[in-house]
Structure formats: structure tokens, C-alpha cells
Amino acid sequence: MLTALTTILAFGAMEFMAWFTHKYVMHGFLWKVHEDHHQPKPGPFEKNDLFFLIYAIPSWLCIMLGAMNQNWPVVGVGAGIALYGLTYFLVHDVLIHRRFKWFDNTNNAYFKAIRKAHKVHHKNRFKEEGSCFGMLIVPKKYFKEQKIK
Ligand SMILES: [Zn+2]
Ligand SMILES: [Zn+2]
Ligand SMILES: [Zn+2]
């Protein structure tokens, strides 16, 4: 029970972490790594994909060390981070950037709002003055805009 709770908490905390690192790290001192996500170059991989590896490390450490010490809530934290990574990949890389042609023709209002918010983020191709750094939490206005049309 506690393990399920730490999984959910870690997942939720990761949305905040993702927003924070995107805003202050990726658009900060690690801009060189994130830059090619905003100014795409040909090729299947982006330097930006490195961030998946960076997040995989704490996740893997929590799962491994937690299991070795039979500390299941810690394993839960690792699982939460891993689940967030998977969700982020499915939403950001597949649903928004279409790196794989899965789930075509989604008409879900929430998915559309996510996509729209992230497009706004990508309108700015440079380091400064971005907006919409979050991923799963979408500002309400992107839901409203759809209803008008
Ligand atoms: Zn960005
Ligand atoms: Zn993107
Ligand atoms: Zn982005």
C-alpha cells in the first residue's frame, strides 16, 4: 500500500521536476543538449534524448538499492520515475512529435490540449523567453481555445 503511494507521489513529483529542469536546466546551462530539440537536425536521435538516460539513473538506483534492502517504498519511487519516463516518451515523443506513428487520429480533448501547449513551447526556437515547460499539466486556456472552434 505504502509502495503504491510512493509510486504515485514520485510520478507526480516528476511532472514538477520535468517542468523545473526544462525551464531552468535545459533552457539554462544545458541548453547545448536541448537545443537540437528546438532546432531539429536530420537523424533518428537528438542530443536531447540524453535526458532520458539522466533520469534513468536515479530510477534504476532506487529500484536496485531498494530491492537489495527489501525497502519496497523506495522501489516504488524508482518505479514512479520509470513510469513517468515512459509516459513522457509516449506523450512527448510519440503523440506530440510523432517520432513513431502510433495512436493516429486521437481526438481526445486532453491530448489535443497537451499538443497545443507544447507547440507553443516550440514556437520559440531559442533559449530565452519560452513558455509551457510542463508536460502533463496543461494550462486551462488550451482547453477553452478548442471549444471556441
Ligand atoms: Zn524546450
Ligand atoms: Zn518537444
Ligand atoms: Zn520541448
Side-chain angles (χ1 to χ4, degrees), residues 22 27 34 37-38 48 88 92 97 118 121-122 135:
H22 192 186
H27 285 250
H34 185 52
H37 182 59
H38 282 267
N48 189 50
Y88 193 95
H92 178 260
H97 290 296
H118 196 71
H121 174 71
H122 275 283
M135 174 56 44

Side-chain angles (χ1 to χ4, degrees), residues 6-7 17 21 33 36 41 56 64 73 80 82 84 91 94 97-98 102-103 107 120 125 127-128 130 135 141 144:
T6 57
T7 303
M17 272 298 293
T21 34
V33 183
D36 69 347
K41 292 166 185 82
M64 189 186 66
Y84 188 85
V91 170
V94 181
H97 290 296
R98 331 256 348 114
W102 304 337
F103 352 97
N107 258 327
V120 171
R125 301 180 55 208
K127 184 177 169 184
E128 264 48 79
M135 174 56 44
K141 63 174 179 185
K144 283 191 198 131

Side-chain angles (χ1 to χ4, degrees), residues 123-134:
K123 269 215 181 107
N124 185 334
R125 301 180 55 208
F126 303 99
K127 184 177 169 184
E128 264 48 79
E129 290 164 31
S131 55
C132 298
F133 289 98

Side-chain angles (χ1 to χ4, degrees), residues 1-2 5 7 30-33 37 45 52 63 74-75 95 105 111 123 127 145 147:
M1 188 55 221
L2 185 61
L5 193 70
T7 303
L30 285 182
W31 170 246
K32 275 279 156 245
V33 183
H37 182 59
F45 292 104
F52 277 105
I63 293 172
V74 170
V75 174
L95 197 71
N105 315 318
F111 285 165
K123 269 215 181 107
K127 184 177 169 184
E145 277 176 22
K147 281 179 195 141

